[in-house]
Amino acid sequence: MELILKNATVIDPLTNFEGKKDIAIRNGKIDKIGNLKSNNRLDLTGCYIFPSLFDLHTHLREPGDESSETICTGIAAASHGGYGTICAMPNSNPPNDSALVMGYLKYKIEHKGCRVLPIGAISAGLEGKSLSDMYSLKDEGAIAYSDDGNSVYDAGLLKHAMMIAQSIDMPLFLHEEDRSLSSGGVMREGAVSARLGLCGISASAESSMIARDLEIARETGVRVHFCHISCRRSIELIKNAKSDGMPVTCEVTPHHLSFTDEDVGQYDTNTKVNPPLPSISDRDDLIDALIAGDIDAVATDHAPHAADLKARSFQDAPFGISGVETALPLLFTKLVKSGRMSFMSLLYKMIVSPAKIAGFSPSCIKKGEAANLVIFKPLKFKVLENFFLSKGKNSPLIGKELTGEVFATLFHGKFSYRKADGII
Ligand code: NCD
Ligand code: ZN
Ligand code: ZN
Ligand code: ZN
């Protein structure tokens, strides 16, 4: 059967096309683009259509912490957020450090409304003591290696991992944090942490580790992607490495672009995240660097946690923000609606760049391409707990107003998300 999406503004950041076009979908693929007539059509006046988003950094929690998220609820949440691909971080329990866990994951992600690309661990058990089964992880479909949640503290072990990754053309996704600087800290170190009496994590806990790892990467030639960078010095170090021709990239999260240490307010555990929310000046530098192109991609670092875990004291609650469903509305509101960035450039950072970093060809709107599309309308809405399909309702956006809702997400021509009382 044919479905025609009519009267929307199509944005394709790969070809830099923006304009009114109708799209016909047949057998899961884009069949025709132009001015089309048919009975089975949806009038999408006032909506945007663009290729589904690509997330480089998602936590699915299964196996091990299914009360915070399962693969099934994580995929539902990703589809609600407009994502058609998510890269699953390996810090489940047990972690994805071997062909065994990879097999389980691959079985669970089959035939669902979103492509899930597994990331394998760098170290066995994410313990930082010996290497994971890096070769079999690649054979079983890992697209990168990461010990996310921790950095690889042992520089010798990291160098060994870099040499192996380089030899089999795999990238490392690095969470950068020197725990001798960050240990015990719960928010960004500064005037606000001092006022609240909370132990701080300095920006240098991140940037000093990036500096160390860039030196080792320089010797090995490995492709390195820096996760969730959060301060000015990290931006500068990575920019310098790029200007030396090193194959390095980096991502920033929607929350580090939108919130600051001031938002911790009265010990709101929904703002407790690692790396911690930046100072105002670092947040402004992150926005500038994204616009200038020094930051390659936006990644959600979707880190759902069950309500009882986030109900603990600020000191004891786990780090993390549930972010895959609010990423697009939040950045549309903060960056596009405010006039700081074009929608085209924002979508480039959420569709094209991430796919390239993960080694995939970016999806686009072209005849014969899979119909993996988002229907988005710039309407105001209030984020309530029942907005989240994720089991993690841990978001500093609850109660806040945003502009820009995903009305539907199509995965191979079928609705993976469709707003119940929407226009569609
Ligand atoms: C992540 C998690 O909960 O797994 N938490 C977080 O605050 N970002 C771990 C991580 O991304 O480092
Ligand atoms: Zn399901
Ligand atoms: Zn991390
Ligand atoms: Zn993470």
Side-chain angles (χ1 to χ4, degrees):
M1 206 183 63
E2 189 174 57
L3 174 66
I4 298 200
L5 309 174
K6 272 197 84 70
N7 301 327
T9 299
V10 172
I11 304 186
D12 183 357
L14 186 68
T15 57
N16 201 33
F17 173 83
E18 176 164 355
K20 281 232 156 88
K21 288 264 187 238
D22 305 330
I23 298 177
I25 296 166
R26 189 189 284 274
N27 298 329
K29 293 199 162 117
I30 296 175
D31 188 42
K32 282 183 219 126
I33 305 167
N35 200 339
L36 308 172
K37 289 194 173 46
S38 150
N39 295 328
N40 191 16
R41 62 185 186 212
L42 294 174
D43 181 4
L44 301 177
T45 304
C47 292
Y48 290 97
I49 297 182
F50 39 84
S52 51
L53 311 178
F54 192 117
D55 193 15
L56 287 166
H57 192 146
T58 317
H59 295 276
L60 289 174
R61 306 303 187 208
E62 186 180 352
D65 183 15
E66 288 83 355
S67 62
S68 292
E69 196 80 293
T70 64
I71 291 166
C72 190
T73 59
I75 285 175
S79 304
H80 182 205
Y83 286 86
T85 304
I86 55 178
C87 301
M89 279 296 181
N91 66 337
S92 49
N93 188 12
N96 186 9
D97 64 352
S98 66
L100 187 71
V101 183
M102 193 64 107
Y104 173 81
L105 194 63
K106 274 167 48 182
Y107 166 75
K108 295 286 271 196
I109 62 189
E110 259 181 275
H111 310 301
K112 294 278 169 61
C114 180
R115 176 169 61 168
V116 180
L117 304 173
I119 299 173
I122 296 172
S123 71
L126 303 177
E127 284 174 347
K129 293 186 185 127
S130 60
L131 292 181
S132 69
D133 215 340
M134 291 176 74
Y135 294 102
S136 11
L137 286 168
K138 183 188 180 189
D139 289 343
E140 296 301 317
I143 57 113
Y145 304 106
S146 180
D147 267 9
D148 184 47
N150 303 302
S151 49
V152 182
Y153 200 62
D154 184 320
L157 188 76
L158 182 70
K159 179 164 183 182
H160 195 178
M162 284 181 171
M163 284 159 58
I164 293 175
Q166 200 277 332
S167 72
I168 54 177
D169 195 27
M170 288 277 280
L172 296 182
F173 286 13
L174 297 178
H175 166 122
E176 298 292 34
E177 173 186 354
D178 184 328
R179 63 170 179 260
S180 72
L181 292 169
S182 66
S183 168
V186 292
M187 71 173 291
R188 180 53 43 91
E189 181 179 281
V192 184
S193 68
R195 170 159 53 78
L196 293 173
L198 291 173
C199 185
I201 299 173
S202 62
S204 64
E206 174 179 286
S207 59
S208 64
M209 206 67 171
I210 290 180
R212 185 200 79 170
D213 291 352
L214 280 171
E215 285 301 291
I216 310 170
R218 198 179 282 268
E219 286 176 344
T220 58
V222 69
R223 266 194 297 144
V224 172
H225 175 70
F226 293 101
C227 295
H228 48 46
I229 65 162
S230 70
C231 66
R232 181 177 62 85
R233 279 300 296 149
S234 300
I235 299 167
E236 289 173 352
L237 287 161
I238 294 164
K239 189 177 173 181
N240 284 341
K242 285 178 179 169
S243 69
D244 290 348
M246 288 177 64
V248 297
T249 51
C250 62
E251 71 189 27
V252 65
T253 73
H255 46 271
H256 290 104
L257 292 166
S258 309
F259 298 105
T260 69
D261 54 358
E262 305 268 357
D263 293 301
V264 172
Q266 286 305 304
Y267 308 94
D268 177 3
T269 59
N270 285 334
T271 64
K272 183 175 176 183
V273 65
N274 196 16
L277 295 176
S279 65
I280 291 173
S281 104
D282 279 335
R283 190 268 318 265
D284 291 344
D285 288 342
L286 290 167
I287 295 174
D288 291 343
L290 183 72
I291 294 168
D294 297 327
I295 295 177
D296 303 277
V298 169
T300 69
D301 193 9
H302 175 67
H305 290 293
D308 57 324
L309 299 174
K310 279 291 196 181
R312 295 175 181 169
S313 70
F314 200 88
Q315 199 70 43
D316 294 334
F319 290 98
I321 289 174
S322 182
V324 79
E325 291 167 271
T326 52
L328 182 62
L330 177 58
L331 294 181
F332 184 85
T333 308
K334 294 271 176 187
L335 302 178
V336 180
K337 199 180 152 223
S338 69
R340 299 213 52 182
M341 206 173 176
S342 69
F343 202 12
M344 179 76 77
S345 324
L346 175 64
L347 291 175
Y348 191 92
K349 303 285 185 188
M350 301 179 89
I351 299 169
V352 181
S353 287
K356 286 185 176 170
I357 290 166
F360 286 74
S361 54
S363 44
C364 64
I365 297 189
K366 194 171 85 187
K367 185 180 156 68
E369 285 279 311
N372 296 332
L373 302 168
V374 182
I375 299 169
F376 176 88
K377 196 161 191 186
L379 287 178
K380 274 200 182 131
F381 70 103
K382 196 169 177 179
V383 184
L384 301 172
E385 240 182 60
N386 68 9
F387 170 81
F388 292 89
L389 300 181
S390 168
K391 287 196 181 184
K393 322 286 180 197
N394 49 307
S395 166
L397 287 165
I398 289 185
K400 303 236 158 71
E401 199 166 76
L402 293 177
T403 300
E405 261 199 285
V406 170
F407 272 75
T409 306
L410 286 150
F411 187 68
H412 293 277
K414 296 205 176 87
F415 289 101
S416 55
Y417 171 76
R418 188 172 189 165
K419 189 169 150 58
D421 55 351
I423 45 164
I424 299 155

